[in-house]
Amino acid sequence: MGADLATVLMVFAVLTDGDIPTESFWLGSGPGKVGGLERHSTVEADISPNREDFYLGCGDNHHLSSRLFQQNVYYATQDPNKQFSLDCMSKQWAANGKFSVKNNPYLYYFPFPSIVATAAFNFYPNFFSNGTYGAGGVANYESISSIIGAKLNKNTGQFEYVPERWPAQGWYRRSTEYGAVQALTEAFTRIYPSYPVSMLFPQAQGGTLDAKTALCYIYQGLNSVTPLALAGEEQAAAAGITWALSKLLAVGLDGTTLGCPASTLSPNTYLYPNATNKGGPLNEPASVAANIGSNVYYKTYFTSAPTTPKCSHSS
């Protein structure tokens, strides 16, 4: 990875999920149990190559989705070289984008995180291929499935999520740097054009856009540009605004955070009023909380498409 691309990603991570004075960031929750790269609606966005959206996955946006990787493998088999090429990943982006726009009323695809979300698709061939992609390296099934932790269960035809590993035949990293200019160029000229998702209320493309989903989108957008040091204040202010708006029944809110149901928010919500009370308006439902946390391997997740939040999805 080029120093310029690494710097772009690092700055974004430190700003929204880290500590500016020490120029560090957290993978899990930071001080006050807020933040971390795993937090949804900061760096982590919807429309992932092979993970489900946070809302539709009922909080599970981190386990490998069997049905999405099946789809990705199909596109790879249609590739002239049977690889997870840029064209293959462009088709995966289009299919996933269309699905999210249609089915996820709380789709999170804001300008800053959209860079990470979209570039993740061209990262597959460029970072996961065996050797340098475009210079003899191969983004084949053996390399991709090993690195992302997918293993075919031949009895069921589904993909299990297993520990990420190097390919059995060995693996060689890139011999040239992959910089910010190339990453952004490929993301927005090779991936994104196959299905341009609006960064301003994507639900308007064919999903559900109303006062509630629009307000939720605005709140998640604020999350994406709010330094972690101010996150608590931002959330407290949002809770106060929500209380006032909830008095206006015509708006259709029900005590959630600027239109976001509790099931759309990552587990940093206990800074909000009443969050410690059972059934509090800003607690995640137990079904969502159960799906947030460490990866659990050797299981199969999402064998069918979650067109509505799917809280029981593993076997």
Side-chain angles (χ1 to χ4, degrees), residues 4-264:
D4 55 352
L5 178 56
T7 299
V8 169
L9 297 175
M10 182 274 292
V11 167
F12 192 22
V14 171
L15 177 66
T16 59
D17 292 300
D19 180 57
I20 294 175
T22 61
E23 297 186 358
S24 59
F25 57 85
W26 291 271
L27 297 178
S29 60
K33 297 184 178 180
V34 179
L37 289 181
E38 69 176 8
R39 181 169 63 140
H40 183 61
S41 76
T42 54
V43 175
E44 196 284 318
D46 290 321
I47 315 180
S48 167
N50 286 296
R51 267 69 176 172
E52 301 291 348
D53 291 355
F54 185 91
Y55 176 69
L56 294 176
C58 196
D60 187 350
N61 58 348
H62 51 95
H63 287 120
L64 176 87
S65 168
S66 178
R67 68 105 187 172
L68 284 180
F69 193 59
Q70 281 184 324
Q71 173 185 275
N72 208 169
V73 170
Y74 170 75
Y75 291 139
T77 64
Q78 303 304 302
D79 183 78
N81 297 312
K82 310 300 180 185
Q83 294 190 33
F84 290 74
S85 62
L86 287 173
D87 287 340
C88 165
M89 297 310 296
S90 174
K91 293 176 181 177
Q92 182 78 350
W93 160 265
N96 292 5
K98 290 175 184 177
F99 180 85
S100 292
V101 166
K102 179 181 179 181
N103 296 291
N104 187 355
Y106 302 102
L107 174 61
Y108 174 61
Y109 187 72
F110 219 71
F112 286 123
S114 70
I115 295 173
V116 179
T118 310
F121 288 76
N122 43 292
F123 278 14
Y124 265 57
N126 281 291
F127 284 126
F128 300 162
S129 65
N130 202 337
T132 306
Y133 182 70
V138 289
N140 57 13
Y141 173 83
E142 289 74 15
S143 294
I144 302 299
S145 63
S146 297
I147 292 174
I148 70 170
K151 182 179 180 180
L152 178 65
N153 183 322
K154 295 182 179 179
N155 293 324
T156 64
Q158 300 291 337
F159 285 94
E160 296 178 354
Y161 183 39
V162 299
E164 295 83 351
R165 61 209 184 279
W166 300 121
Q169 72 272 27
W171 185 83
Y172 298 88
R173 66 180 179 87
R174 293 179 60 91
S175 60
T176 59
E177 291 185 346
Y178 187 62
V181 173
Q182 183 180 356
L184 292 175
T185 299
E186 290 183 346
F188 290 100
T189 64
R190 298 291 301 276
I191 304 297
Y192 183 78
S194 64
Y195 185 72
V197 176
S198 172
M199 298 180 196
L200 181 63
F201 303 115
Q203 299 90 339
Q205 287 182 239
T208 302
L209 181 63
D210 53 26
K212 187 173 182 177
T213 57
L215 283 169
C216 181
Y217 191 69
I218 292 171
Y219 169 73
Q220 292 188 85
L222 291 174
N223 253 357
S224 74
V225 294
T226 301
L228 181 60
L230 302 178
E233 286 78 0
E234 173 214 359
Q235 291 160 358
I241 294 170
T242 296
W243 174 84
L245 290 175
S246 67
K247 301 301 179 181
L248 305 175
L249 298 180
V251 178
L253 300 181
D254 55 4
T256 57
T257 305
L258 282 189
C260 295
S263 57
T264 69

